[in-house]
Amino acid sequence: MTFIAGVLIFALQIFLVVILIRVVFSWVSPVPTNPVSRLAWQVTEPVLAPIRRRLPLMSGIDLSPLVVWLIDARHQRELRTVGQ
């Protein structure tokens, strides 16, 4: 069980890095023309889109990455307690 929890925690951390890459690229270049930006968009959009639809607009700021980050941190904390 510890190995599976460790692999899941690692996958969640990688996903957070991809979300961070997407956020940085959205600030620099909002149109995903860079292959890395396009890959980050394709990987994260299935998770971010449903959350974005449910969140109210906040002066044009997309808060869905923050929500996903908070959920991800909670899941990692729960997995660490299972993995002990």
Side-chain angles (χ1 to χ4, degrees):
M1 187 67 162
T2 304
F3 176 73
I4 294 172
V7 169
L8 288 173
I9 289 170
F10 181 72
L12 288 171
Q13 288 174 343
I14 293 296
F15 189 70
L16 283 181
V17 169
V18 174
I19 287 177
L20 180 64
I21 290 169
R22 178 181 169 154
V23 167
V24 169
F25 272 116
S26 74
W27 291 338
V28 175
S29 172
V31 181
T33 56
N34 186 336
V36 175
S37 175
R38 219 175 299 143
L39 175 66
W41 190 86
Q42 290 173 346
V43 170
T44 59
E45 188 61 21
V47 176
L48 294 176
I51 295 171
R52 191 179 305 116
R53 282 192 298 266
R54 288 178 178 83
L55 286 177
L57 289 177
M58 301 292 285
S59 301
I61 297 173
D62 183 13
L63 295 178
S64 59
L66 177 63
V67 172
V68 170
W69 182 81
L70 292 171
I71 292 170
D72 194 310
R74 179 176 169 222
H75 288 317
Q76 284 186 36
R77 189 174 58 245
E78 291 170 356
L79 283 170
R80 282 190 178 96
T81 60
V82 169
Q84 291 179 353

